[in-house]
Amino acid sequence: MPERSDGPAATEAAGARLVQTLRPGDVVLVSGELGAGKTTFVRGAARALGVEGPITSPTFTIGRRYAGRVPVSHLDLYRLEGLEDEDPALLADYLTPDAIAFVEWPERAGTQLPATVHVRLEHAGGDRRRIEVRQP
Ligand code: ADP
Ligand code: MG
């Protein structure tokens, strides 16, 4: 059953709830259109994992690592055309066994991501969003 969000705070809260079920090594793929709230969701998750300071989408690099209670990686693959031509080590720095990783625009990577959780956000009119979390 998808959750409903009526504003950014509710989307952050959904991210915060998800992390209660996560462990180091988990890779959370966060899909949805531009403005659907992917970064907002990841911000709530990262906060709940103890990350302080601003959490914004990586722009000039494909990812960032934050120091929370566990390492937190945040990737945004929007500008990747597909990883075939890229150095695999590009992701290896972020998807480490000690970290919990969140990946925006995972479809850009093709099928190479070792996902353990899928989150999908969809516009539902105005400030409303539908949030679907799929976990094994
Ligand atoms: P994405 O990373 O998917 O492109 P962002 O999280 O960066 O999206 O931006 C979402 C934008 O939509 C923000 O400006 C946020 O304030 C706004 N917004 C409005 N309602 C919501 C909601 N329910 N959940 C998340 N963001 C919302
Ligand atoms: Mg984003």
Side-chain angles (χ1 to χ4, degrees):
M1 266 288 281
E3 296 177 57
R4 303 259 161 193
S5 165
D6 59 5
T11 298
E12 286 192 16
R17 274 197 303 281
L18 172 64
V19 303
Q20 295 170 11
T21 68
L22 300 180
R23 288 175 303 196
D26 275 326
V27 177
V28 182
L29 307 188
V30 187
S31 313
E33 291 171 18
L34 210 63
K38 300 181 293 299
T39 300
T40 303
F41 184 91
V42 173
R43 183 176 300 121
R47 282 269 180 271
L49 288 167
V51 176
E52 294 171 1
I55 297 153
T56 56
S57 245
T59 324
F60 298 109
T61 59
I62 71 162
R64 292 211 178 112
R65 268 178 83 104
Y66 296 98
R69 282 193 301 284
V70 299
V72 176
S73 293
H74 180 194
L75 291 95
D76 186 334
L77 305 184
Y78 186 68
R79 283 170 197 80
L80 274 195
E81 284 297 318
L83 286 181
E84 299 82 35
D85 306 326
E86 306 281 344
D87 182 354
L90 208 61
L91 294 183
D93 288 345
Y94 300 100
L95 307 182
T96 55
D98 59 330
I100 295 178
F102 298 88
V103 186
E104 296 188 42
W105 296 102
E107 350 1 73
R108 295 287 202 269
T111 56
Q112 301 187 31
L113 291 174
T116 55
V117 183
H118 291 80
V119 177
R120 169 150 208 101
L121 291 114
E122 287 172 6
H123 292 276
D127 283 354
R128 282 171 300 166
R129 304 289 190 272
R130 235 181 331 269
I131 305 173
E132 189 152 20
V133 176
R134 281 198 289 126
Q135 270 173 302

